[in-house]
Each structure stands twice: as C-alpha cells, then as structure tokens.
C-alpha cells in the first residue's frame, strides 16, 4: 500500500462524517467464521474494534466458537450427534462448551483486544444473569440446548459506561442453575435489540446475499425486511442463510436500525462497512 | 438448630459491631480445597459472601482449581510431569488450565453466586490486563508457569464500585500474548495488597497452624509475622504450610492488616472468622 | 443464650433474604410506650435501628412522649384538662410540649442512637416546615391541638440521603408562627405515606390485635384493611385500638405496603418483625 | 424611612463589593442578649441572616438562652446556686437546660427563620456528636458544667451543603451519655475555628469595647489581638467583657480571620457590620 | 445620597422578597439606546447585572449597536440606503455589522462587565449556531437582512451553568455560511422565549407607554397583551413603539411571564424594575 | 485520489496508535498565513480540527489576522507607521484591531467550524479576563501594543470541558479597561504553556527550518531547543524566523512537550504532522 501522507490525511477526513454519525451509538458485532481463525484477520478485527471505541462508539463483541468446541470434544473422544443441525448436548458436552467458549475463546480474545490497546472485559451469559434460557423443546431430546428467555444488559452497559469493550461468549444460564448452549447469532440479535443498538453486524464467510449463489457479482446490497418472505420463496435466501437472515429480520423488528451480513474473509470488512457509503455485504433495514 | 426468634434477633445485634467495623472495607477471600467441592460447603461460602457484600463489605473472591484441571487433563490422556511440586505446563496444558479455570470453575461460581442473590462478575488475569506475568526461571524448563510481575486492580475496583462481587480465576497474561499458570495463593495475596485490603482469608483443609499437627487442640490462634522464622525452625511451620504462610507474611508486609488461614471444611467458616471475637483458624498480623 | 458460633453464622445467613428484600427501602417506626421507658428496651430499639440502617434500610424514627409531658406539667403545677382524650393545650402547655418532645425526648434519643454507633439527627415538625398544622376544630376549644395539613419530607430525605437516621418529634408549625400538639401515630402514618415507605411499624404495649383481649393466644396475625369495619362491628377493634388501627388503615390507603402493630415490651420486636416470616404482632395490608 | 427607588438601587449597588467578598464564605453568628428578646430585633436578625444566605454566605447561627433557663427553673421552684458566675447544674437542672435550649429556644428560632423564608434546621451539640464535652474540673463540684473536648462539624457542613441555615443550641454530650451545659460564646468560637469561618460575630448588649465604659463615643473600632493583654492591664477590658474578648482572641488564634463584638440592640447590626466599611462595634483580628 | 447605615440595612432587607422571588430564574435584558452611550449609565447597567447574577439570577444580556455601525460605515464612506426603516445590507455592510457588533460592542461590554467583577463571555449568533436566519423576503431586495428561523440556546445555558453572564451580539448565521443582520429586539424576545425566561426587559429611551406621548405623567404601568390591539387602534401604540411592543407581546405569547419596556436613561432602571413593587416603565403580561 | 475501501480501512487503522497517544491531550494550533486565506486550505484546517476533537483531543485554535487588519485600516484611509516591525497603534487603530480580530476573523472561523460539524465558540483575550497585558515599553511610544502579563485559561477549559473547540482572537485587556494588540504567536505559546498542552503547532508559509533557505530539501526535521543558539549564530535561524522559533523555545521551556513549525500551504498539514511518524516541518523539543 503506497499512499502519500497527504492522501492518508484525506482518507481520515473522509471518515469524518461517519465518525460524527456513529459517535455515542452502540454497535453489536457478531464475530465468527474465518475472521476468528486466521491470525491476520483476527488482528484486523481487533484493530477495527479498538478504533471504533476510540472514536466514541460503544462496540459490543459477541462470539461463538463451534470449531474449537468440536476440536475439544474430539480430544476427549466424545462423538457428537446432530439433530436438524443442532448438537445433542449432554452434561459432559455442555461443560466443554462452557469451558471452550467462556474460558478459552472469550478470554483469549479479551487478551488480544487488550494487546491492541483496547480496554476489554470477557463476559458470558452467566455474568450478572445476562442471558437466561430454557430447554429448547423439540421432538427429540437435545439435552442442554437452550432458547433465550431473558436478556439483562445491565452488566454490558455497566462495562461500556466505564469504557470497556465487552466481549461476550454465548452460553446461557437456566433457572435451576443449569447451563445452556445457545445460538450465537440469535444471542447477538437479542442483545442488540435490548441495547437499542444502531447496527448489528454479522461476520460470515460469504460475500452477502447473492442472487446467484455462485456469482459474487450478483450481491444484493440492500434488503428491506419486508422483501425477505419473497426472497425465501424465490430460493435466493436458502439453506444456512435462512437462520442468519431471520436473525437480521428479528433484530430490525425489535428496533435495531440496520443489520448487516458482511464477509469476514475480507480484512477490515467492519471498518469498510462502517466508513463507506457503499458498505460491504448486505444490509437489512 | 432450634433457636427462638428472640435469640435470633440477639445474634443479629451481636453482629452489629463487626458490621460497623468492616463496612466499606475490602476483604479478599482465597477460595479452595473441600469448600469448593462439597455442594453444601459451596452454598455456605456463597451465602457468606453475599451477606458480607450486603452489609457493605467489598468482597473479592479469588480461586484456583487444581483438581478440575487434573480431571480434564486425564480426560484428554495428557500425563502431567511435576518438578518440585510445579506442573510442567506445555501449550496444550496451559490451554486446558485457562479453559478450566476461567471458563468452567470461574463462570460456574459466578452463576452460583448470582443464584444466591449476589451481583457477580467472572474475571481472570487476562481481563483489563489484571495480572501480568513472566516465565518462572528455574533450573529445568517448566513451560508456561509464570511469576507475577504486575497487578492492575482497576478492573476489580471498577466492578466493586458498581456493586459487583468480582470472582477471579488466576491465569495471567504475558507480554507477548502468551498465558501463564500462576499460584492462586500468591495471586490472592498480591491482589489483596494492591487493593489495600483489610483482610486476606485463605480457605484450606486444615484447622490452622497446629503446634502438634496431629492434635487440633494445639491450634495457634494468632501469630505475629515476626515469629514465623522461629516457627519454621521449630518445624511447626513445615511442608505444604510453608508457601501458604509465606503468602500471609508477604501480604502483611505489603500492608494487608490481617491474614487468616481458616478451615474451609467447617460450614460458614468465613462468617465465623469475620463475626466473632475468637475467630477460627490462625491469624497473622 | 448459649449459641455456638456455627449456629450464629446460620442465623445471620437466614437473615439474608430479608436483608435483600429491605435494602434501599424506607421503614418508619413509631416509637412509644414501655419501649421508650425501660432502659433495656431502649437499648434494644436503638440497636435494632442501627442494624437496619447498616444493612441499607432508610429507617425513620418518629416518637411522641406523653408521660414526660405530664411529668413536666406536674412539676410546674399545671393541671391538665382532657376533653374526649385530648389535652386542652394553652400557650404554657404547648411550650412545655415543644420543650419536652423536641428538646428532651428527641435529643436524648439522638444522643443514645449516636452512642450505639448510628449517625443520628434530631428533628421536629418545625425543621424545614416538615409538619404544618391547623387548629383542630371541635365543639369545645382545645387550644393548640392541631390537625396536620401538609407534610414536607425534604428535610427527612436530605438527612437519609446523607446516611443519617432522622429522629422526629411530633410538634407541628402553624401558618401564623404558632405551634401545635399533634397525634404522633397520625404524624408517623402521614410521614410514612409521603415517603412511600414499605412499612410503618407502630410500637405499642399490647401483643397486637386479639380476638379475645384477655388471651394473647388469640392474636390475629394478618388483617386486610377491608376487614377492619367488620372487626369494629364485632367489637374486636375497640377502645384505644381504634385510632391506632385507623392510622394503619389510612397509611395503607395512601400507599404504605404494610403497617404493623407490634409489642414494644418484647426486646428486639422490630427485628423479629422484620427478619422472620411469622413476624410478631398484627400486620395490616 | 423615605428613600427614593433610585437611592434604593444605589444602596444595593454599594453592597455589591461586600457580597462579592463574602460569597461562599462561612460566617458564624453568636446570637444572644436583647436581640433575642425584643420581637422587632428578632425579626431583624432573621431577615439579616436569610439575606446573607441568599447572597451565597454559609451562615451558622449559634445561640444560648440564659434567661429562658432561669424562667423555667423558677417555674419549677428550683433555686440556682452560682459559683464564680457558673450555675451549679444538677441532673434536674441539666434536663431543664437541654429542654429549654434545644427544644424551646432552638426550634422556635428555626420556625421563625423558616417563616422569614430561610431553609433552617435546628441542631444541638448532641446531633451527630457535634460537641463532646467533659466535666469542668473546679475546686467546687459544679455538676454538669462541661468543657468542650471535641467539635465535629460534619453535621453542620452536611446541612449547609444542602442549603440549610443550621441553628445550634449549645448543649454538649459526654462520653458516658451524660449531657453538659457549656458556654455558648466558647462553643461559637470553637465551631467558627473548626469550620474555618471568615468571621465570628458575637451579638451583645453593649456598643463594643469602650475606652470609657460610660461614653459610647469612646468606642475602639479595631483591636489587634496582640493589644489585648495591655488593654486588660489598663482596665479597659474588664468584668464581663473578659471572657467574651478571650473568645474573640482564641478564635483569631485558631484561624478565624476577624471576630466582632457588636451591639445587638441596634436593628440590623449584623448587616451594618457586614456591608459597610466602618462596620459597627469592635473588630478583633 | 446621605443615607445612614441603618437605613441602608433596611433597604437591603426590603430587597429580600424580590431576591427570593428571582433566585434561580432567567432574566433577559435587551440593552440599547442611551444606556449604551453614557459612560455613567453603562457603569450602572454593568453593576445592576453583576448584582443580579450574585443573588442567583441567570442574567442574559442581548445588545444591538446601530449607532456604532453607522459611525463605522461613515468612516469607510459607505452610504446607507434604508427601505421601510431597514438598512439595505450588501456584503461589505454585513461585514462591518458583524465586526462592530460581535467584535467591538460585544467584547468591550464583556471587558467592562469583567471589570465590574462579573464573569462574562461575549457571544454572537454564530457561536454554537445560536441564531440561524434566512433572507428576509420583501418586495425590494434588502441583501443580508435576515429573519430568525432557529434559536439554539445550548451555548447560552452552557455558559450560565458555569456562572458566566452571556453577552450576545445579534448577528445570525445562514444555512450556506452567510451572515445576516437581524433585529436585536426580536432576537432578545426569541431567546427569552426559548430559555423560558421569567422576564424580558427592553431598555429604551422613553419612559414607557404613554397615553399622551408628550406627558410622562400619563405612563401606563401595566398592559395585558390582549389590550394591545385596542391601544394600537387608539393610536396610543404608534410609530417606533409598534415593533417593540410586538416583541413584548410575542414573547409573552411564547411563555415569557412578563416583558418590560423601561427607560434606560434613568440610572439603575433595571434594579428599580426588579426590586420595587411599582417598578418603572410599562409591563406587559 | 483513487484508493480502495480496503486501503482506506488500512489507513484508518494505521492512525490508531496516534489517536491512542493523543486522546485526552491538549493541542494548541496557531492558525495563520495562507492557510487562513485560501478557501480550500481553510476547509482543510477546519476538517482537521473537527476530526481531532472527535477522536478525543482538546484542540484550541489561536489566530491573528494581520492582512485583514491592514485591509480595514486602508478602507478608513488610516496610514500605519511601523517601528521595528511593530505597528504604532493609536486608539482608532486598536478599535479596528479588536473589531477585525474578535468580530470578523474570529466569528467567521467559528461559523465555518460549526458548518464543518464542530461545536465551536469564538473567544478573545477579553472574555473571562483570559489575556491581561501591559503597555510594551520601548524607546518610542507604540501606543496600544501590549505585553502579556497574565493568562487565565479557565474560560478555555470551561469550554473544552463542555466539548467546544475554543477559537481565540489575540487581543488582550489592560488593567484600566484599555485594549492591547499582542503578538499572536506569543499568545499561542503562553496559552499552550498554561494549559499544559502536549503540542503547540505554528502554521506558517514556509516548509520549516531550512539549512539552505532556498532549498526545501534541506529541511531540518527535529531541533533540540539547546541547539537554537548555535543555529542562530550560523545564520540558519534568521530574520522573521527568529521570533517564531523563540516562541517555540519558550513554550518548550515552560513545559509544552513538543512545538512544531509546519507549512500551512500544504493541505491537511496538521493531520500529517499529528498522524505520521515522519511528520512535516520542524519539531522543537
């Protein structure tokens, strides 16, 4: 990248209207996929978020950690059974989920954020009863797979009001002291809604919503949530995209102004989304 | 326990001078041993701490979790090698340590505390760069066994100032982004010193310092830290007691008014220590 | 009272749910009768209130002082005339009332509370225009017997917000600078209502409301205010109980959640009421 | 008083530099003598103090009440014995002193101040342990005549910080719960010193310090405290003036910038002292 | 002026009810006419305002400066053309207007106020976008003569909340970065309305509204705004009085309690208006 | 400038360490020369400063305005006489100076800053007695040319604490109410010193300090203030550079960490200086 200091200054100045627009607002970023694996992409995400905090944005980072959970289960020779894409979660499995998400992934991200100059605190749904869940009722027993019942954001806003970037692992507590594995996208959406966030950004491993899923040039940049049922009918929203987009729709319905599906494989995709008019990926409003 | 309401009222009133003495003070409790295993004892500890917080004491709970780490290592068929009582800690081991302490033990305690009505937050040495360590230099390479270099209590006092009970897992961060396993007693002592705590209470599985280690009636209730060298010479302080008592002495030297070794096997031993004149266990001053 | 330290700890822990329920709430205690005469009972009341304040309750103590007024009037050879139980109050008498209540009883209680470790301030209805009254209109002229027109609680909440226990003597000011003697139970009820108190506790010299007034075993522990007219008709509420219970009813009507008539002759009756499920005396809701 | 509105405006403007000088400062006024008896003078004093508070001065009013005490003692046929000008004070007498000062004089002044638009609170040495005393040791036993040991001004500054004018009756508490009669001038001086007051104003029934005590034209307007011993030797300071002037000297020694002996028989003497260059009475510095 | 200190004190005391009434209120003074030319009158106005601030009134001073603008235009040999009493304002003229009002008149008043002991800050409609205007549309082009579109009082209340007296020059900003000359009376009225001021005082060179404009004895002291149309019909309100009184009416309509037209040629006319019952000039309500 | 969004994001991220370094610090910018004349450069400066404020820097903008003063003097046909480069300043001239600096230049910059989204307030040395000066004593009388005696930054920090960018015109007040023309570079240096600024940036029309003044490639990027005397001797610092560099040296001596002479003719030179390692112009430390 060979950019003169003068052009650098211009770039900063062109960011000004975006900074003015976002100052004091809350942005929830659901972190996941490749952006959580590649060390370079991880560094880029950390930098993006530290910068956003410094220019006055209350950023909240929510993450899952599926691959790390699978690795750990494999290590203890635990075979996983899936029903409709959901892992059957017995006591031993939920212990591993909690350990990996709240202990390994979460605290390592916290350390990394601190090392990039952010003031970070690693939380999970058990801190301050942040996320309370109940057993998900399905035809077959899934064990400790939960559905969110309550989101208490006080522990999050207590942290942001003191200047911290809260990093949140999505395990939830139950009313009898049990622990539940919950969907991280849904948790992020509900946290964003409860916080009155301006934006919810879901980092994925795709370019966004594509008309032709094999052609990135057919990206649909903007979708009104009212168009979603039609897009589903047309098969444009299908497969793994359905739950993600349902999250986006739900968050918008509950008051989040804009939700975004962005491509976490592109370095600094968050900043590009935040600080350019054209953005990146698909925006739902 | 058959006590009349009138006698109950008298018991509460007799606690009054202790409550007045401790209100607004900081007490660090190092939690460990049987008190962390027996469900009844766990409940008792949680209640004790919630009560202390409610009467205006800033309680900070620090914990290790040796047995849970060993269980997990066994599960992944990892054999542990010990040198001078210290576990040789390779990358895979330190990952397990972090996961178990900061993810499982810590967050489960946080959940339990919340379920007893406390407002709790689960932290570790990586949050807000709370505990920074360097590799412990010994004749043989111990891997990620660290020595504390810096304690930053801001993330702790930020939490207590908002009414939270901070629960702290003792893993530490390194200056290059690595993670270290550190001694929980030493961590508790250094946190207590840095916070200017009035008391450090170490929960153990013994009655306290005994003149004759086979006879609990020979308990030494109070020790001036200047007497410690003599007690070592006499063999009264020996074996596993040495590092624990060294922690107590060091904490007192750094300004903690009183440190206590108490018997975690006795239900409500913390409250008994705090709210009676005779206390329980051995006090160092 | 021979209770082990372990049992003492259990008693404290059993108080925990009550402390949690009352923290931050306002409780108004109308102090009177034997509890204000016996030195042992006085000490017990002071301790009860200091403890309540320490565990985060905003306690407000309201008192009268009929016997001390009579003693002082006797000393100056002033004969008192009563009409329908109300003392005819000329200028000399109201001066004695003010002196005894606001100067002797009030300030001595303040001193006693301070000596028990409470931070106390002695107020009366004249401070900050707290209680404003008008002459009570009756068929015969009662002189300076007043009826409350206005209660201004700012001087009370200013004190509680700074951690003081306000102790309030029930003399009231008139709009032309005159002073009125007012009923202390009514004043306590109106102060409780205006403060939005959770509880009003009236200390008396009886066990509570009894079905058979000669048999304490017939105590009615709980009364819904809607049952009061029937209880009056049945003669269960009669005589001196009528005005006291009317106060309770009125306070409940104005928003005080619960009012209690308790037996001040029992040491620590306030604590027993506050910190046990069965309570003591009769509760109106 | 026939003054045009234009001249009235000029008078206000001429007060401006004084208001600027005193804003935010603390002034302690010892109220006594005729100014406490004549209704007109009382009204004038109340107005003066309300005005001072409104222009930003923290005024603290300290009062005694000798004549009212004597009246009350007479009413109960209690004969007073004096030794060296100090009333021998038995238990019955100290009760009357407390009642009259803290109950009658104090609260009536508080009511009067409120009726003049001031926000007032009536305190005595027993509130918040404000004045702690010990038995005065003399050759003959004087009973409950005390000497001040400690002055705690927190309850005073808590009140002034909330905008109240504290009105203080000078009875003191003892360390065993007893009450002492103390000299009001000395109490005012010590309170002024402890508060770091700019001025202490003692209201008396004389014009000030006179060279010839029979000729008011010989008033000495300003005295350096170092001149006091000489003035005593010359007999200019003599009799009842000695203890008053000793108070002034002591207050100056403890850091009060200026102390004043003013003539309370002149209406608005406080304002004249405060808002004119020539002042009134005698100033000690 | 030969007034005794005693009478001075009485004058101060008689100001007390006015000070109590105005404390914490906002008063907007439109300063102009002779009171801005005569050095003696200027000093008097400054003193009046400093005094008002000291007794707790939030005073806001708004000024124009017609004569100084004309002088400066003459100096640069710029001839002014007037249409319907409004100066045709080209770019060169508006530059002079801004310079003279915001640079000379405003900052010199600020300096003068500071020299009288007030804490003053000189602002104009361009600071913090306080006054936004649009080109006034008339049959003939008047150039940069504007009509107020928006008043943002944040920069004013930010200043008063820190104890400053804001002094405001009435030039306004346009939405394209241009500057407009606006009518100072209207600006003062709109600022008063937006601030929720208790009073708007317009200083003029007449005694007030006169029944017979040649006889000051026919002053109408109080006018209900509903009477204004009739007074116009009767010719009592006529000529240059019309726009001034329209301002008063408009301000009252927008919530200012009272507006006053007072005679700035009388020294201290503001104080006389504020601190006497009869006031001065004509009051509209 | 054709830069991809991805590169733009990288540029923002590379600014991160600078933003972290400057957050919460005070930077004083002396604005002048071509950067104040060219509309494009003016816009660039405004943007730079708004951006700096948004990322948490307390920016203070100090300006002179020589050319505008000369233009105005010419308009009124006032000939200026200069002695040693200082304008002889009679009353008419100082009036023009005040008008132009505090009324025209200052308020127009304030308006421009607001139009770029900054929250700005236009101040001069007369507001809040910010700059107090005395007549400069020289062999020949220079009239109202002043030397700074006192700098009171309260009015500046009151503004920055409320989020304003203070824009300061350098006219000063005298102790008798007169006004002085002062050197803007010196005023900026003294304000920076008094504020404890991290940096003072002087915008000029040269590249910086050059070894060979005809060759911009000989720029000296960094100078230790101790080298200045030698550089003067060598003639490298000469002519108009001498007073500018003396300002830099003086500011450093009084505690400003770094002072910079930068080239205002380059767009965004402030940002380039602030957000690159190599900076621009010459730095003194």
């Amino acid at each position: 990248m060979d950019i003169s200091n003068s052009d650098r200054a211009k770039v900063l100045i062109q960011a000004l209207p975006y900074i003015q627009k976002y100052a004091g607002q809350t942005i929830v970023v659901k972190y996941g996929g490749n952006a959580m694996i590649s060390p370079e992409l991880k560094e880029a995400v950390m930098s993006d978020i530290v910068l956003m905090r410094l220019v006055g944005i209350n950023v909240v980072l929510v993450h899952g950690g599926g691959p790390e959970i699978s690795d750990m289960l494999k290590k203890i020779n635990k075979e996983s059974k899936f029903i409709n894409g959901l892992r059957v979660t017995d006591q031993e499995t939920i212990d591993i989920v909690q350990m990996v998400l709240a202990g390994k992934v979460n605290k390592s991200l916290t350390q990394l954020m601190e090392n990039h100059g952010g003031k970070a605190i690693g939380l999970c749904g058990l801190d301050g009863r942040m996320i309370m869940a109940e057993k998900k009722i399905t035809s077959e027993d899934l064990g400790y797979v939960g559905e969110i019942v309550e989101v208490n954001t006080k522990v999050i806003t207590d942290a942001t009001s003191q200047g911290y970037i809260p990093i949140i692992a999505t395990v939830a507590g139950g009313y009898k002291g049990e622990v539940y594995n919950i969907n991280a996208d849904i948790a992020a959406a509900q946290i964003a809604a409860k916080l009155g966030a301006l934006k919810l950004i879901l980092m994925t491993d795709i370019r966004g919503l594509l008309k032709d899923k094999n052609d990135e040039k057919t990206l649909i940049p903007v979708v009104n949530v009212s168009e979603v049922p039609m897009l589903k009918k047309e098969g444009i929203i299908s497969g793994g995209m359905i739950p993600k987009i349902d999250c986006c729709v739900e968050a918008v319905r509950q008051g989040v102004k804009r939700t975004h599906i962005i491509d976490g494989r592109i370095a600094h995709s968050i900043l590009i989304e935040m600080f350019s008019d054209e953005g990146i990926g698909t925006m739902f409003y």
Side-chain angles (χ1 to χ4, degrees), chain A residues 250-270:
Chain A
E250 189 53 26
V252 169
R253 291 247 159 85
Q254 289 182 32
V256 178
K257 287 279 178 313
R258 277 143 173 62
T259 62
H260 301 262
I261 288 182
I262 67 170
D263 189 346
R265 297 166 307 178
I266 300 170
H268 303 296
S269 50
I270 302 173

Side-chain angles (χ1 to χ4, degrees), chain A residues 30-33 36-37 62-73 87 96-102 104-106 109 168-171 181-185:
Chain A
K30 161 64 207 320
Y31 183 33
M36 240 170 102
I37 296 166
V62 177
H63 65 86
E68 289 88 344
I69 294 169
S70 300
D71 287 358
M72 196 64 204
L73 288 172
R87 191 195 304 272
I96 294 293
V97 167
Q98 176 184 333
M99 236 181 258
V100 169
L101 289 188
K104 187 73 199 35
V105 180
N106 182 266
L109 286 175
I168 300 171
T170 53
V171 290
N181 191 7
I182 53 172
N183 181 286
D185 291 334

Side-chain angles (χ1 to χ4, degrees), chain A residues 3-276:
Chain A
I3 300 174
S4 70
N5 277 336
S6 167
D7 281 353
R8 284 169 184 280
K10 278 183 210 149
V11 168
L12 291 174
I13 289 303
Q14 284 160 5
L16 194 48
Y18 302 100
I19 296 178
Q20 291 175 316
K21 184 167 67 181
Y22 297 130
Q25 298 289 348
T26 297
I27 309 285
V28 174
V29 176
K30 161 64 207 320
Y31 183 33
N34 271 305
M36 240 170 102
I37 296 166
S38 143
E40 289 74 29
L41 290 174
K42 278 173 88 166
E43 304 258 330
V45 170
M46 295 299 118
S47 300
D48 289 3
I49 285 171
V50 171
L51 181 70
M52 285 161 72
R53 176 79 231 187
L54 266 173
V55 299
I57 302 169
N58 292 321
V59 204
V60 175
L61 193 68
V62 177
H63 65 86
E68 289 88 344
I69 294 169
S70 300
D71 287 358
M72 196 64 204
L73 288 172
K74 210 184 303 167
K75 266 198 186 171
I76 64 161
N77 296 313
K78 180 96 186 178
E79 221 155 309
S80 294
K81 193 181 148 197
F82 286 84
I83 298 176
N84 292 328
L86 293 168
R87 191 195 304 272
V88 179
T89 306
D90 60 8
Q91 182 63 51
E92 191 177 36
T93 305
I94 189 66
D95 281 356
I96 294 293
V97 167
Q98 176 184 333
M99 236 181 258
V100 169
L101 289 188
K104 187 73 199 35
V105 180
N106 182 266
K107 295 297 183 180
S108 293
L109 286 175
T110 301
Q111 184 182 27
L112 195 60
M113 190 74 84
E114 285 278 348
N115 290 344
H116 280 77
K119 211 176 135 191
I121 196 165
L123 303 173
C124 73
L126 305 175
D127 291 283
R129 298 173 78 82
M130 188 206 296
I131 311 175
M132 297 302 291
E134 283 176 348
K135 190 179 167 69
K136 194 183 182 82
I137 300 307
T138 50
S139 52
E140 280 178 89
D141 187 347
L142 296 169
Y144 295 103
V145 171
E147 227 155 1
I148 298 174
V149 176
E150 244 188 285
V151 172
N152 307 304
T153 50
K154 177 127 189 37
V155 71
I156 302 173
T157 52
D158 277 350
T160 54
S161 75
Q162 292 178 327
Y164 289 95
I165 300 163
I167 301 179
I168 300 171
T170 53
V171 290
Y175 291 92
K176 290 174 193 148
E178 72 277 29
V179 174
Y180 288 107
N181 191 7
I182 53 172
N183 181 286
D185 291 334
I186 295 175
Q190 297 218 10
I191 287 169
K194 197 69 182 290
L195 287 171
L198 185 73
K199 269 183 197 297
L200 166 67
I201 297 176
L202 299 183
M203 300 186 79
T204 65
D205 286 344
I206 52 166
R207 278 293 283 126
L209 185 59
L210 304 176
K211 264 189 201 138
D212 170 352
K213 77 173 85 169
N214 300 315
D215 182 1
E216 296 205 341
K217 285 186 204 124
T218 65
L219 177 77
I220 307 174
V222 179
V223 174
N224 185 309
V225 292
S226 66
E227 303 164 3
V228 166
M230 180 58 77
L231 290 165
K232 283 181 176 173
K233 233 183 243 168
E234 293 171 7
I236 292 173
I237 298 174
S238 68
M241 283 303 270
I242 293 177
K244 284 213 176 283
I245 288 175
D246 284 351
C247 273
C248 290
V249 170
E250 189 53 26
V252 169
R253 291 247 159 85
Q254 289 182 32
V256 178
K257 287 279 178 313
R258 277 143 173 62
T259 62
H260 301 262
I261 288 182
I262 67 170
D263 189 346
R265 297 166 307 178
I266 300 170
H268 303 296
S269 50
I270 302 173
L271 276 201
I272 297 170
E273 175 48 54
M274 298 281 294
F275 291 101
S276 69

